[in-house]
Amino acid sequence: MLSDKKELSGITLIILFGVLSPILFPNYRIQLSELWIFMVFASTWNIQGGKMGYNSFGNIIFFGLGMYLCASTQIAYAFDLAEWTAAGGVKTFVHTASQYFIGLPLGLIIAGLVPALIAGFLGSLILGLRGHYFAICTLGIGIAAGEFATSVSIWGGGQGMTVPVWPKVDGQDLDFLGGGMNFFYTLSFLLFVSTFFTLRWLFSTRFGLILTAIRDNEDKAEAMGIPTMRYKVTGWVFSAFFMGIAGGIYGNINGYIEPTEVAFAGATFGVYMVLMTILGGKGTLWGPIIGALVFQVFKEFFWTFFLGWQLVALGFLIIVIVVFFPEGIMGWLRQKKPAWFGEVVDSKARLAQVKINTND
Amino acid sequence: MNKIQKLILVLLSSITLLFSSVSTSFAKVEGDTITLGSAISLTGKYATNGEHTQRGYDLGVKIINDAGGVKVGGKKYKLAVKYYDDESNSAKAAALAQRLIEQDGIQYMLGPYGSGLTIAIAPVTEKFGVPMVEANGASRALFTKGYKYLFAVLNSADQYLNSAVDLMATKKKGATVALAFEQDSFSLDVKLGVMDRIKAHGMKVVIDDALPKELNDMTATLQKVKALKPDLLVVSGHSKGAMTAIKQMTDLKVDVSMLAMTHCDAAAINKNLGGGGEYAICAAQWHKSLSYEDEFFGSGKDYAKLFESIYKYDPPYQAAESSAALLVFKSAFEKANSFDKDKVRDALAKTDMKTFYGGIKFNKSGQNTSKPMVLFQVQDGKNAVVAPVKWAEAKLIYPIPKWADRK
Amino acid sequence: MILLQAPFLNLQALLDGVMVGSIFALVAYGMALVWGVMNIINVAQGEYVILGGYITFGIYKLGVSPIYGMPFSFLFLFILGYILYRLIVFRVVDKDMFISILATFGISIMIQQFMNMFFGSQVETALTGLGTIFFFDGNITIALVKVFSFVISILGAIAVIYFMRVSKLGRAIRATAQNPRAARILGVDTEKVYAYTYAINAGLCGLAGSLVAMTYTLHPYIGLPYTVRSFMIVIIAGLGNIPGVLVSGLGLGAIEEFSAYLIGSEFRIGVIFSLLVIILVYRSKKLAKKREYLK
């Protein structure tokens, strides 16, 4: 969509920012990690909401599931999971470095694969629903997942679950890549980069075209013989995979998993992912990225400077985005600067279209 | 540079500016002020008690500053607290703790409201080696992870209603019990303590209901209580649970011999429910009629008077224990005679003081072992302490008169 | 299992459930109205309810019986709904429904914060002094305040339905719901219709909130369950099926109550949502056989 030159410079800037920011802003590594995770949120949601026209409120379930699965694997690899979470986490266990560094990648892999499989199964059931019904159904699943997680005692139930801590050697944090914070920052950045390039590739193939076709007119697409269900489900599987891994990483950053507020956080993250994509411009590749960036900046700004009023400010921002920028920043940019998008506008021809000559 | 590069550059530079401008404006000690940090629930489901907690902190700061402040290295310093709103959300609480420590340079933390949020923040303060004195997180899990930088002035959750169960055992052998607990860390910990005592006394649990977080209606549980007629009903669901329980028990005229709950005074059931709260037994960390004293606040009654004069209501124990946390910090700063967080931490570990709130002495896990939980019963619209007997100002009314016999 | 041991509990659960459900049904009716006429899902529904509750609570605090708070709650929310429509909602009416969901979500967040600031964050309730009645030798206990809520909810719903049938505005609303363009051509001021529909919905929520204040408890942040349940009731009933909405509301209340006995209260919401998902999937599969889909 964006012309190649612009895109290349955009990519370069992002990579520079990603590599340099933890060095330049070491106090903000958490927010920055969150930023990359938010970009993954928005980019994957975009597959359904933007490209395909299926507004999903349920993508958060893959995030939450990935979070729990990753942490569970990390724990279960070395200890007994039920004991870890029993009675609100009364017992303490400590991982050794080798246990940690085998458990973690294992956990992330499972965090990616299992949600993907579930998306495949669930998707075949509910992706037959259209429009609002799909949205509501996914909303229902999102809420139900959170509630059910509250009653799964092996995951700590309502009391939540603490995630294994970064291993210590002789009482000091293990200095691998500069410690836990750098490590997980790097993971989130790498996750985002791989998500971005995967999606960039995906959208440039026929797959991307078919998704757009489904959004524009699903019946016609089906009439043309496209097995739309297959493509819809595959799209969801991709989202689920990246969301699951994002969940695993985020759980480790946060240190503590709570079923409805951290893992299946529909009311916060679930809504944010939609907002960010719309803010940036849904349906485009770069829209979610810009949207996530702007959103995260605003969010941090509000929480620092508008204490007590931050949610009012957020509500107001949402209304402003939704009412005045429904096409998002990318959409607005496209109107103002079509040249950036490689579109050539013949202004004379355009005006001619608009003016209706009434000198009959 | 072409336009889109410019746009992104502008965006990135404004972010940079934003981040840098906010960074080190709140170092731990600036001029003559020591700044503590706290993530507090100003909005969200814990907002009520978050407010009580914040007011308690503020009152503690005020009293200490008015009395001259904290003396370190021969100089007097004032205390101040930097607050963020965690919105009663664990993810937010943890993120805000990181922010306070990393970006605002806070070196000493005051705890949030509630076990769930304290559990979320503790790994953070521990990771950065920032001592935290918390006054409102009672969950047992906080004290079993080997945290070195966590100090709790309150009793742990599993001790809340134990004495109520013990009281029941003295009144009737083999009593039957109905349990209604919300599914959050705190309530589940209370349940653990209660279950321990139930087993020890050989009582029988006939109803064991979990209340959902979005609780607004416990009719089903109460109907079961009416059908099965247990002797003791135990409810733990924060203020909303306490209020809903009393209101619906009044509406349905549910009779039990003893009703034990948590968070009754935060819900002000003695006042707001038209007498429906009478005879309920409540767990409390503190009560103003207890005869503890200290040189800052005087007695419990003095504290309550001071609190009421400023905030226009009787302080619940959440406020009192929060004020006590500041007293603990003051004593630690002066004992360590330093601002180094590890020295302060060590001084905290050695705390052994008496306050209007009770004795405060931390064991190795950071728990306060110097103060017992109290129980009070709502009698005639007032909260009267009935246990432990040593401190009791009134006798327990047992059994609760049936609704048909109440005036 | 207790429902078998004490059989009268089944009747009790049914009655309790229906009474609980009546308030949700009222809110769901308002939701169905706005959805059907303007194609907007009002995520701020629950907040309107709670705000209505606070208005009644305010009246109660002045020493007046909260029952007299009902008209005030209705009126206040009616006016507020009208204002919010004219300020914000009208901008998203003709856009994607999804946009309206987000816009009303923004409104809901703002209202929550204002309620927290204005009314404080402690849990509140209003006492009516209505008593209790017993049936079958004390085996069935009914709180009169719940009966009162039930009656008011049903009356409120009937009143609105009647209004829709009989009044000019009501007919205009129905016409607009059927076909906005045709209505406009025939001279109906659709913007006015939309504003009043939204206001009526808000008013209904306010009334429901008044009942909530008397029957249950209030807190600035417990609006969401009302939004969610009214949502689901409308979906289960099927859009446009007004009597269905009321019946579904009552039915949902009953199912919730029974599941509290059978599986435990902590699963209530999970059960309802799973039910919703199952119904939707089942319906769509049935239609898919005919190569159609849910609209």
Side-chain angles (χ1 to χ4, degrees):
Chain A
M1 274 200 78
L2 277 180
S3 66
D4 287 330
K5 234 180 37 177
K6 308 282 180 292
E7 227 192 346
L8 192 59
S9 36
I11 295 177
T12 322
L13 275 170
I14 294 270
I15 294 199
L16 275 176
F17 185 61
V19 171
L20 291 177
S21 52
I23 305 172
L24 293 175
F25 311 117
N27 291 342
Y28 290 85
R29 279 173 292 178
I30 301 291
Q31 275 92 330
L32 289 165
S33 309
E34 211 180 44
L35 176 65
W36 302 122
I37 300 229
F38 276 3
M39 287 189 182
V40 173
F41 277 1
S43 303
T44 52
W45 188 85
N46 189 36
I47 304 176
Q48 277 75 52
K51 282 282 181 193
M52 211 161 78
Y54 272 67
N55 297 319
S56 163
F57 281 113
N59 282 17
I60 194 77
I61 64 173
F62 305 123
F63 181 73
L65 204 56
M67 198 183 289
Y68 271 114
L69 287 172
C70 183
S72 308
T73 313
Q74 286 175 269
I75 297 169
Y77 177 74
F79 307 107
D80 183 332
L81 182 60
E83 272 191 44
W84 177 284
T85 52
V90 163
K91 271 196 169 152
T92 323
F93 307 84
V94 182
H95 282 78
T96 64
S98 60
Q99 283 173 329
Y100 190 83
F101 285 106
I102 300 182
L104 181 59
L106 205 59
L108 288 176
I109 293 174
I110 293 187
L113 289 180
V114 174
L117 285 171
I118 293 188
F121 170 67
L122 201 59
S124 59
L125 283 179
I126 70 174
L127 278 164
L129 296 166
R130 300 281 180 97
H132 330 314
Y133 289 102
F134 177 73
I136 288 158
C137 195
T138 51
L139 178 69
I141 295 180
I143 298 184
E147 291 300 322
F148 281 129
T150 313
S151 0
V152 177
S153 48
I154 200 170
W155 276 348
Q159 293 175 301
M161 183 158 85
T162 45
V163 181
V165 289
W166 186 256
K168 286 195 192 310
V169 174
D170 296 329
Q172 287 286 77
D173 273 351
L174 182 66
D175 190 9
F176 173 58
L177 266 192
M181 292 240 275
N182 280 351
F183 181 74
F184 285 108
Y185 171 84
T186 315
L187 275 185
S188 1
F189 181 62
L190 286 177
L191 176 68
F192 164 66
V193 170
S194 33
T195 310
F196 175 74
F197 282 110
T198 309
L199 291 184
R200 184 163 174 269
W201 162 77
L202 197 64
F203 290 159
S204 68
T205 63
R206 190 164 169 263
F207 191 89
L209 285 175
I210 291 182
L211 286 184
T212 316
I214 293 177
R215 175 188 69 198
D216 291 337
N217 194 323
E218 189 164 350
D219 290 327
K220 280 206 190 116
E222 269 187 18
M224 280 171 55
I226 299 176
T228 55
M229 193 57 146
R230 213 182 290 168
Y231 286 90
K232 290 192 273 191
V233 173
T234 311
W236 221 27
V237 167
F238 270 97
S239 288
F241 179 73
F242 290 114
M243 286 297 275
I245 299 182
I249 297 177
Y250 189 81
N252 276 285
I253 294 179
N254 205 46
Y256 170 67
I257 303 178
E258 208 270 1
T260 50
E261 287 171 3
V262 181
F264 297 103
T268 50
F269 294 152
V271 174
Y272 293 170
M273 64 177 82
V274 177
L275 284 174
M276 293 188 281
T277 315
I278 293 189
L279 172 62
K282 59 178 184 167
T284 64
L285 180 62
W286 282 89
I289 296 172
I290 296 180
L293 185 60
V294 175
F295 187 82
Q296 174 73 322
V297 168
F298 268 111
K299 191 161 91 44
E300 292 301 308
F301 186 74
F302 288 159
W303 257 260
T304 313
F305 294 112
F306 288 159
L307 181 64
W309 288 80
Q310 75 274 14
L311 285 174
V312 175
L314 185 65
F316 188 70
L317 176 69
I318 293 175
I319 295 178
V320 164
I321 292 175
V322 148
V323 169
F324 295 106
F325 288 102
E327 298 299 317
I329 293 178
M330 287 295 275
W332 176 78
L333 266 181
R334 195 172 182 183
Q335 280 186 340
K336 298 282 176 168
K337 305 269 181 201
W340 291 10
F341 294 78
E343 287 172 5
V344 177
V345 175
D346 183 341
S347 22
K348 236 175 36 190
R350 189 191 240 190
L351 279 173
Q353 277 181 325
V354 169
K355 261 213 261 185
I356 299 174
N357 287 338
T358 52
N359 45 349
D360 31 349
Chain B
M1 238 199 290
N2 43 32
K3 294 247 174 87
I4 195 168
Q5 284 175 328
K6 262 203 210 148
L7 178 70
I8 296 189
L9 196 65
V10 164
L11 210 53
L12 289 178
S13 10
S14 31
I15 298 170
T16 313
L17 266 169
L18 176 68
F19 282 154
S20 44
S21 66
V22 184
S23 46
T24 47
S25 38
F26 306 104
K28 38 164 181 185
V29 183
E30 258 192 335
D32 63 347
T33 313
I34 309 172
T35 311
L36 305 153
S38 180
I40 262 260
S41 306
L42 299 174
T43 55
K45 59 182 181 276
Y46 297 136
T48 322
N49 285 316
E51 226 173 40
H52 296 320
T53 306
Q54 186 186 34
R55 291 178 174 160
Y57 286 152
D58 287 341
L59 195 58
V61 166
K62 178 176 145 62
I63 272 277
I64 293 175
N65 286 349
D66 285 350
V70 178
K71 192 146 169 224
V72 174
K75 184 167 165 218
K76 284 213 176 262
Y77 292 86
K78 293 211 175 300
L79 288 173
V81 184
K82 173 147 186 64
Y83 295 107
Y84 281 124
D85 178 6
D86 60 32
E87 294 166 28
S88 311
N89 179 302
S90 341
K92 190 124 252 129
L96 289 172
Q98 307 250 24
R99 168 199 285 260
L100 280 165
I101 296 173
E102 283 210 292
Q103 287 153 237
D104 299 329
I106 296 290
Q107 301 271 289
Y108 329 100
M109 291 276 288
L110 290 167
Y113 173 75
S115 301
L117 299 174
T118 313
I119 292 179
I121 289 186
V124 178
T125 50
E126 198 66 19
K127 181 160 72 173
F128 288 101
V130 168
M132 172 159 71
V133 176
E134 59 107 346
N136 288 283
S139 173
R140 244 178 13 174
L142 287 165
F143 309 114
T144 55
K145 298 247 184 295
Y147 289 141
K148 290 217 173 47
Y149 289 85
L150 180 77
F151 300 94
V153 300
L154 74 174
N155 293 78
S156 56
D158 52 314
Q159 295 171 328
Y160 270 54
L161 288 174
N162 296 4
S163 30
V165 182
D166 291 339
L167 260 182
M168 184 73 228
T170 63
K171 298 288 181 192
K172 181 172 175 184
K173 283 224 170 310
T176 50
V177 186
L179 304 172
F181 283 86
E182 213 179 285
Q183 296 289 75
D184 64 299
S185 342
F186 168 79
S187 307
L188 289 174
D189 268 348
V190 173
K191 188 174 178 186
L192 285 171
V194 164
M195 288 301 290
D196 263 349
R197 307 307 300 155
I198 288 177
K199 280 205 194 68
H201 290 296
M203 297 186 186
K204 193 160 114 91
V205 174
V206 293
I207 297 174
D208 186 357
D209 272 359
L211 304 167
K213 271 188 187 153
E214 244 88 73
L215 165 73
N216 216 347
D217 182 20
M218 51 189 293
T219 312
T221 306
L222 291 175
Q223 298 285 14
K224 284 192 224 177
V225 168
K226 287 200 77 147
L228 297 176
K229 304 199 200 316
D231 300 299
L232 169 65
L233 171 61
V234 184
V235 178
S236 176
H238 294 269
S239 323
K240 190 146 54 103
M243 183 173 268
T244 306
I246 296 290
K247 181 170 178 137
Q248 298 194 320
M249 284 177 77
T250 313
D251 282 341
L252 292 170
K253 304 271 183 282
V254 179
D255 285 317
V256 284
S257 304
M258 191 187 283
L259 170 65
M261 303 199 294
T262 60
H263 291 94
C264 321
D265 59 344
I269 60 168
N270 54 342
K271 289 214 217 58
N272 289 348
L273 287 159
E278 282 295 297
Y279 312 113
I281 293 176
C282 301
Q285 295 275 358
W286 167 85
H287 190 261
K288 63 183 179 190
S289 67
L290 300 172
S291 60
Y292 304 121
E293 302 207 316
D294 66 56
E295 49 173 354
F296 288 93
F297 287 107
S299 70
K301 288 218 168 77
D302 294 330
Y303 175 83
K305 234 193 321 207
L306 176 63
F307 190 93
E308 185 157 3
S309 69
I310 302 178
Y311 297 112
K312 311 278 178 277
Y313 62 92
D314 222 13
Y317 64 77
Q318 285 85 356
E321 53 202 12
S322 307
S323 300
L326 271 308
L327 296 179
V328 170
F329 255 121
K330 172 190 191 312
S331 139
F333 278 125
E334 297 189 337
K335 251 210 289 225
N337 204 24
S338 150
F339 292 121
D340 176 68
K341 56 184 166 71
D342 288 298
K343 293 214 174 85
V344 172
R345 183 252 151 218
D346 290 337
L348 282 169
K350 296 204 197 74
T351 306
D352 188 355
M353 57 194 285
K354 301 232 174 300
T355 69
F356 76 97
Y357 167 73
I360 300 185
K361 185 169 169 175
F362 301 118
N363 68 7
K364 251 188 349 171
S365 324
Q367 264 180 299
N368 181 9
T369 51
S370 170
K371 177 189 84 68
M373 282 295 285
V374 295
L375 289 180
F376 63 76
Q377 185 175 39
V378 179
Q379 295 179 351
D380 244 351
K382 296 215 187 323
N383 297 336
V385 178
V386 296
V389 178
K390 174 169 162 207
W391 302 104
E393 56 176 351
K395 200 158 127 55
L396 173 74
I397 298 177
Y398 174 91
I400 299 180
K402 294 208 186 299
W403 284 99
D405 301 330
R406 294 195 215 187
K407 33 175 170 35
Chain C
M1 207 259 302
I2 195 168
L3 282 180
L4 295 171
Q5 289 173 312
F8 53 81
L9 270 185
N10 288 291
L11 178 57
Q12 180 79 70
L14 186 62
L15 290 172
D16 284 329
V18 163
M19 291 191 289
V20 167
S22 63
I23 298 183
F24 290 129
L26 191 62
V27 181
Y29 179 68
M31 169 81 84
L33 201 59
V34 168
W35 192 340
V37 173
M38 304 194 277
N39 206 32
I40 284 184
I41 296 183
N42 184 35
V43 178
Q45 198 83 342
E47 275 62 48
Y48 291 162
V49 172
I50 300 296
L51 186 53
Y54 272 115
I55 301 295
T56 294
F57 176 71
I59 304 272
Y60 166 72
K61 272 300 199 192
L62 294 174
V64 179
S65 167
I67 298 180
Y68 296 112
M70 294 193 306
F72 287 100
S73 292
F74 180 87
L75 218 56
F76 184 87
L77 264 302
F78 183 87
I79 296 173
L80 181 69
Y82 188 85
I83 294 175
L84 283 175
Y85 180 84
R86 288 287 187 205
L87 278 181
I88 302 174
V89 183
F90 80 96
R91 299 174 204 265
V92 296
V93 162
D94 50 358
K95 302 222 173 102
D96 192 31
M97 180 208 264
F98 198 56
I99 302 283
S100 68
I101 291 180
L102 291 173
T104 49
F105 176 71
I107 294 178
S108 78
I109 297 182
M110 291 177 75
I111 295 183
Q112 282 175 358
Q113 296 314 304
F114 283 127
M115 288 197 291
N116 188 40
M117 281 186 237
F118 219 70
F119 294 104
S121 51
Q122 54 279 14
V123 194
E124 307 281 11
T125 188
L127 300 176
T128 51
L130 292 172
T132 323
I133 47 175
F134 300 92
F135 292 114
F136 300 121
D137 227 5
N139 276 333
I140 300 281
T141 315
I142 310 265
L144 276 175
V145 67
K146 279 197 170 164
V147 177
F148 179 73
S149 296
F150 178 76
V151 168
I152 298 292
S153 303
I154 300 296
L155 285 180
I158 294 180
V160 182
I161 295 176
Y162 183 70
F163 168 81
M164 292 300 219
R165 280 273 138 104
V166 159
S167 76
K168 196 159 150 229
L169 181 59
R171 279 180 286 148
I173 293 177
R174 280 188 294 137
T176 315
Q178 281 181 351
N179 192 328
R181 277 183 89 199
R184 238 174 275 148
I185 292 175
L186 289 173
V188 173
D189 181 350
T190 47
E191 273 306 294
K192 203 173 92 168
V193 162
Y194 288 160
Y196 277 112
T197 309
Y198 196 73
I200 291 176
N201 172 48
L204 282 177
C205 291
L207 179 64
S210 179
L211 298 174
V212 170
M214 294 188 254
T215 324
Y216 302 109
T217 57
L218 294 175
H219 189 250
Y221 300 97
I222 53 168
L224 188 64
Y226 292 93
T227 308
V228 157
R229 281 184 180 75
S230 59
F231 224 35
M232 296 200 328
I233 293 173
V234 174
I235 296 289
I236 292 178
L239 200 54
N241 181 3
I242 296 300
V245 165
L246 295 173
V247 170
S248 301
L250 300 177
L252 189 76
I255 293 179
E256 260 202 76
E257 202 69 19
F258 273 103
S259 63
Y261 285 92
L262 291 170
I263 347 182
S265 286
E266 77 261 39
F267 289 110
R268 262 155 100 143
I269 259 256
V271 161
I272 296 170
F273 272 107
S274 313
L275 195 64
L276 175 73
V277 170
I278 294 174
I279 291 181
L280 281 179
V281 173
Y282 171 70
R283 270 207 205 137
S284 82
K285 290 272 179 217
K286 232 173 49 163
L287 286 175
K289 291 215 174 77
K290 294 193 279 174
R291 294 207 158 267
E292 281 173 13
Y293 51 87
L294 275 174
K295 286 205 236 285

